[in-house]
Amino acid sequence: MSIPSDYVRTHSASLIQWLIVHEISHCFLPTPLAEQVLSEPWPATSSLKVLLTGGDRLHRGPAPDVAWKLMNHYGPTENTVVSTAGEVSSGSDTLPDIGKPIGNVQTYILDEGLQPVPIGVPGELYVGGPSVARGYLNRPSLTAERFIPDPFSESPGSRLYRTGDVCRWLSDGKLDFLGRN
């Protein structure tokens, strides 16, 4: 298989044609590039089954007539990159949510007192589980600020990563990303 040229990777219409010619069925694109691809007409001759995206806030979903799924991912590097995932509905006018936690990830939306907030109430997103990093290399004060003991876990040494992201729970259990703290 060939690798797309720099030109193809930076021009959405050319990238779509490259994906079709190479019969790509699953593809990850960074959010800004995914949004460019989403703004283009998509031919029905595509082999694409799933377009994955992440790395920034997604502002749109796919057109109603596409035959593939769009999966939005959220996650800080401090939690091995992906923490939540969800399929983005086509044709919606609302900003896509960031889905639900993936396996082995716990997510909490907490207030300033580290107490869970009710559904619909904004708070800071905390991420826990075995994929949480140990901390920052040679940055003990920043590590102590961002990685805290997990008050909800019974496992010794469990930590939560304080993301700095403001979210709220939706009634269907998905997370709505509202912005940065």
Side-chain angles (χ1 to χ4, degrees):
M1 170 168 289
S2 66
I3 296 174
S5 69
D6 289 343
Y7 177 83
V8 168
R9 287 194 309 265
T10 58
H11 291 84
S12 52
S14 297
L15 180 58
I16 291 170
Q17 288 306 309
W18 187 91
L19 293 169
I20 291 169
V21 167
H22 289 86
E23 298 179 340
I24 303 299
S25 62
H26 291 72
C27 178
F28 177 88
L29 297 177
T31 305
L33 183 53
E35 288 187 337
Q36 289 177 17
V37 166
L38 291 170
S39 70
E40 296 283 343
W42 199 274
T45 58
S46 170
S47 297
L48 191 66
K49 304 269 188 258
V50 180
L51 174 61
L52 307 158
T53 190
D56 205 346
R57 182 170 195 164
L58 184 63
H59 293 93
R60 62 179 303 158
D65 60 345
V66 298
W68 39 265
K69 293 181 182 180
L70 174 62
M71 299 296 294
N72 190 22
H73 294 107
Y74 163 86
T77 301
E78 293 84 351
N79 193 56
T80 318
V81 183
V82 176
S83 303
T84 68
E87 184 175 348
V88 178
S89 300
S90 62
S92 175
D93 291 335
T94 62
L95 287 173
D97 60 65
I98 58 172
K100 296 179 179 182
I102 65 169
N104 289 323
V105 172
Q106 292 78 46
T107 54
Y108 305 95
I109 300 177
L110 306 176
D111 64 18
E112 291 179 3
L114 299 180
Q115 295 301 305
V117 298
I119 292 172
V121 175
E124 185 170 354
L125 179 62
Y126 288 73
V127 180
S131 59
V132 171
R134 293 183 189 150
Y136 298 109
L137 183 63
N138 301 322
R139 310 256 335 250
S141 61
L142 184 58
T143 295
E145 176 188 327
R146 305 305 289 184
F147 295 87
I148 65 168
D150 184 346
F152 308 105
S153 176
E154 296 179 12
S155 298
S158 293
R159 295 169 326 286
L160 292 178
Y161 172 67
R162 182 179 178 192
T163 68
D165 292 329
V166 178
C167 293
R168 65 180 171 183
W169 288 110
L170 300 173
S171 60
D172 61 2
K174 293 178 182 175
L175 290 160
D176 186 21
F177 179 87
L178 302 173
R180 294 284 299 158
N181 237 353

